[in-house]
Amino acid sequence: MTQKTGAFTRVAGLLALAISILTSLVPTVTAAQTTPNPGYLVVVGKTTDRAKIASYAAELPAIYASLDGYYLAIGAPGRGVTWLEGPWTDRSLIFAKFPTRAGADAFWWGDAYRAAIRKRDNAGVFSVVAIEGAGPTPFEGAGSGFLIVMTGSTGKGPADQDASARAAASLIDGVKSSGGQLVNTPSIGQFTPMEGDTVFDRFVVAAWPSLAARDAYLASGDAAEAKHLRAMAGISAVAAVNGVPRNQAPTAVNPNPTGVAPK
């Protein structure tokens, strides 16, 4: 009986050891792995009726707050936005964040915003896209810097497509080497048009921990090479935008009385 008990104990010990080893080989699911990626809205706009926009903007804070949404950047040329490429030199730009991509849809298509948006009918022109983050927002808040790159190919030939792919690769390499990170996946078609027409097929957002780090990239040979390749590939619109404090937005107060249209 004692021998049987000893044998049983040894077998049980070996089984426990085997289970322990197998368990150690199974990847641990962390909170970071199960947290959904954030969703974003990129808005380019031009206001033509200030009174309507003011009435519309007054509706926004409660809608954003109900979905935990807020602005990462909001501004106009000379006020937090610098257009580096493209025709939109007079347009405001807004970069807004929601906890999930579904949250951006819930904001945009929700009854509250559908009612509010009617207040800006015929009050301006807007282009809006939604994108999904590639992970947690790498940098945000006052002092952070963003670069929003929109590109499209004017041709479907191999040379155009090759230049487009090389431009994206060059951008990615330059961002990483300058201490920045991509906010979203840079592949073609990784966005959803929400309003307005878009001639672009790729939207890429990059972030840096400081304006100085972003501007150092913009002054680099890497940035010049990416710009050259974008020109070879087709059309582009590129804007440098400055991060804002989370408590600045959403807001019904237009920080630029002549150009910014809150979204």
Side-chain angles (χ1 to χ4, degrees):
M1 184 67 179
T2 302
Q3 290 180 340
K4 290 183 179 181
T5 301
F8 177 81
T9 301
R10 286 194 296 273
V11 171
L14 289 173
L15 285 174
L17 178 61
I19 292 171
S20 176
I21 292 172
L22 289 172
T23 301
S24 70
L25 297 176
V26 177
T28 300
V29 178
T30 65
Q33 291 174 309
T34 58
T35 300
N37 293 331
Y40 304 95
L41 291 177
V42 177
V43 182
V44 178
K46 181 179 180 180
T47 298
T48 57
D49 188 323
R50 302 297 321 161
K52 281 188 175 182
I53 289 297
S55 177
Y56 156 76
E59 303 289 328
L60 299 184
I63 304 174
Y64 269 98
S66 69
L67 295 165
D68 293 326
Y70 57 98
Y71 296 151
L72 293 176
I74 175 171
R79 296 177 174 85
V81 173
T82 302
W83 285 101
L84 305 171
E85 299 173 36
W88 289 337
T89 56
D90 62 343
R91 303 295 173 95
S92 64
L93 194 148
I94 292 165
F95 185 39
K97 175 182 176 179
F98 297 87
T100 65
R101 174 64 181 79
D105 283 338
F107 168 83
W108 187 260
W109 300 115
D111 291 343
Y113 187 69
R114 288 296 96 196
I117 200 172
R118 297 278 65 85
K119 293 191 173 184
R120 69 164 172 79
D121 285 346
N122 303 313
V125 290
F126 303 90
S127 294
V128 185
V129 300
I131 60 178
E132 181 176 348
T137 309
F139 309 108
E140 61 179 89
S144 59
F146 298 97
L147 189 67
I148 298 180
V149 180
M150 301 161 262
T151 61
S153 176
T154 53
K156 299 300 181 182
D160 300 293
Q161 297 302 310
D162 179 64
S164 177
R166 287 163 55 204
S170 178
L171 172 66
I172 294 167
D173 290 343
V175 168
K176 290 181 178 178
S177 65
S178 61
Q181 294 184 41
L182 294 188
V183 172
N184 66 310
T185 301
S187 303
I188 287 175
Q190 296 295 309
F191 65 92
T192 303
M194 308 297 270
E195 180 178 357
D197 296 327
T198 179
V199 295
F200 304 113
D201 57 20
R202 194 192 312 260
F203 282 72
V204 184
V205 181
W208 285 263
S210 69
L211 300 181
R214 181 201 63 197
D215 294 346
Y217 163 74
L218 293 175
S220 70
D222 288 333
E225 175 66 11
K227 181 177 181 179
H228 171 68
L229 290 169
R230 285 193 292 269
M232 291 177 57
I235 56 175
S236 61
V238 179
V241 294
N242 300 347
V244 297
R246 178 167 178 164
N247 62 6
Q248 177 173 323
T251 176
V253 178
N254 193 331
N256 174 15
T258 60
V260 176
K263 168 56 59 182

